[in-house]
Amino acid sequence: MTSVEEPARPAGRIRDAARTKAEILDVATQEFSRAGFAGARVDEIAARTRTTKRMIYYYFGGKEQLFTAVLERAYSVIRMAEQELDVEHLDPVAAIRRLAELTFDHHEAHPDFIRLVSIENIHEAEHIAASEELGTIGSPALEVIRRILETGRKSGLFTADVDAVDLHAMISSFCFFRVSNRHTFGALFGRDLVAPDQREHYRTMLGDMVIAYLTADRTQD
Amino acid sequence: MTSVEEPARPAGRIRDAARTKAEILDVATQEFSRAGFAGARVDEIAARTRTTKRMIYYYFGGKEQLFTAVLERAYSVIRMAEQELDVEHLDPVAAIRRLAELTFDHHEAHPDFIRLVSIENIHEAEHIAASEELGTIGSPALEVIRRILETGRKSGLFTADVDAVDLHAMISSFCFFRVSNRHTFGALFGRDLVAPDQREHYRTMLGDMVIAYLTADRTQD
DNA sequence: TCACTAATGTACGAACTAGTACGTTAGCTA
DNA sequence: TAGCTAACGTACTAGTTCGTACATTAGTGA
C-alpha cells in the first residue's frame, strides 16, 4: 500500500518545500483540532506526515508557532469565502437571510475551524495577538453587513438599532454554538444539533430569528 | 502569612475529608479551566491546595476522574440556579425575557463553567458520557420553557413553531458565545463582548431577539 | 486506653515530550 | 560538472508529568 501511494517514485527523497509545509499544516490542523494545543503531540503530527519532526522546527520554529500558522490558514479560508459573498443585489431582508445561511453553511462545513477557535479562546487568543497577519485584517463580511443594514434602515424595513459587529455576533453565536457545543448539548439534552435531517430546520430558524429581530414592530413595546 | 491563614492551629494535620475534597475541586476547576484538560498539571493543582498530590489520587482516582468530578460540580451549580427559576407568574413574553436574562447573567457570572464546557466539547463530551450523574438528569429550565411556550402559544402571543430544547439552544448560544469567544472576537473585531458598559446593551439585545422571534408576524412571510 | 482504619505525607520512577546537535543529499547555478 | 545551499533525516537529551510504593498519624469505637 505504501508503495502504491505515490506514482512510481521508488527511491530517493523528493524536495518540495511548499508541499512539505502544506502537508505539515494539514496534519497539524487535524491534530490540534482533535486534542487541543497542549494535548496535540508534535511527534504525532510528524509521524502522520511524509516528513520528520525536524521539518516542523525547520519551517515553523516550534509547536506554538505551528499552531499560529494553523490558525492563520484556517482564518484565511473563511476570509476568502466571505470575499465571494454576493448578496447585495438582493433586497435587505433576503440579503441578510442569505448571509446568515452562508455563515451557517460555512460553520457546518468546517468543524475543525470551530474547534481551533474554541481552543484559541481557551488560550485567550494569545496566538492571534502574536500574529501580525491575524491581528490586523478584519472581516469582509462585516462591510457587507454594514451596507445591507444601512439600506434596510433607510427603506424602513429594519427597525432594530444594531451595528454590523453586533449582528455578526448574533449570527455567529448561533452557527458557532450549534457546532462547537454539539457534544455536550447532545449528551445533556438528547438532541443532535447537527443531525442532517434537522439541518434545514436550524437554517430556517436562524434566518427567522435574525429577520424577526431586525424587522420587529418596536411601536408595540 | 501561612500561620495566620488558619485560626490558631499551630501543629499537626487536621483531618477533614470533605474540606480536602472540596479544596481539590476548587483548585482543579481553576486549573482545568485555565489550561484545558491536557494543559492542566496534576502537580500544579496539588501545589495550590493545602494537601498533596497523593490525595487527588486517593479521592478521585486520577486526572480523568478529577475532571469529571469538576464538571459534575460545575453542572450542579447551574442546575441549582435553574431550580430557583420563578418566572411563571409573569405573562409569557415577560417570562421568556426574564428567563433569557437569568441565563445571560449566569453565563456571565461563571466564565470558568463556560471554559470547562468548551473543553469538554473538544473532548467530545466523553466525560459526561462516562458520568452516571451527568448523563441522566436533564435541565429544570427546560420544563419551565416548555410551560411558558405552551401558555404563550395558546394565548396567541407566540407564533413561532419551536420546542423548548431549540429555544434553549437559541438563548444559550448567544449567552455562551459572548463569553466563550470573547477573546478571539475581541482580537479580530476590536469589540469586547463582555465590557461592563455594554452589558445592558447585550442583555436587551438577547431579549429583543428571542421575543421578536417568538412573536413575529408570520402572515407576512 | 488501645487498637484499628481513614486520611495524609514523602520519595521516587517509568514514560513521555518538546526541542536540538549533527550528518546527509537533491537539485540548481555558475 | 563542480560546488553550494536549501531541504531533509537520525539519534539523542534534558526536563517534565502522571502515577504509585511505602511510611505515618489523627481520630474513633470497643
Side-chain angles (χ1 to χ4, degrees), chain B residues 194-214:
Chain B
V194 290
D197 65 331
Q198 292 295 299
R199 199 182 116 85
E200 269 316 298
H201 167 67
Y202 286 116
R203 225 165 90 111
T204 305
M205 187 172 155
L206 166 67
D208 288 352
M209 176 188 87
V210 177
I211 298 305
Y213 173 71
L214 287 173

Side-chain angles (χ1 to χ4, degrees), chain A residues 155-168:
Chain A
S155 70
L157 276 167
F158 293 167
T159 54
D161 183 33
V162 245
D163 74 353
V165 175
D166 286 346
L167 191 71
H168 180 64

Side-chain angles (χ1 to χ4, degrees), chain B residues 184-201:
Chain B
T184 56
F185 200 90
L188 291 172
F189 305 117
R191 180 158 309 179
D192 183 5
L193 292 174
V194 290
D197 65 331
Q198 292 295 299
R199 199 182 116 85
E200 269 316 298
H201 167 67

Side-chain angles (χ1 to χ4, degrees), chain A residues 37-56:
Chain A
F37 177 76
R41 299 286 163 244
V42 177
D43 283 296
E44 176 64 21
I45 294 170
R48 285 168 53 199
T49 58
R50 269 171 292 185
T51 184
T52 63
K53 186 166 57 157
R54 178 71 185 76
M55 288 297 97
I56 293 174

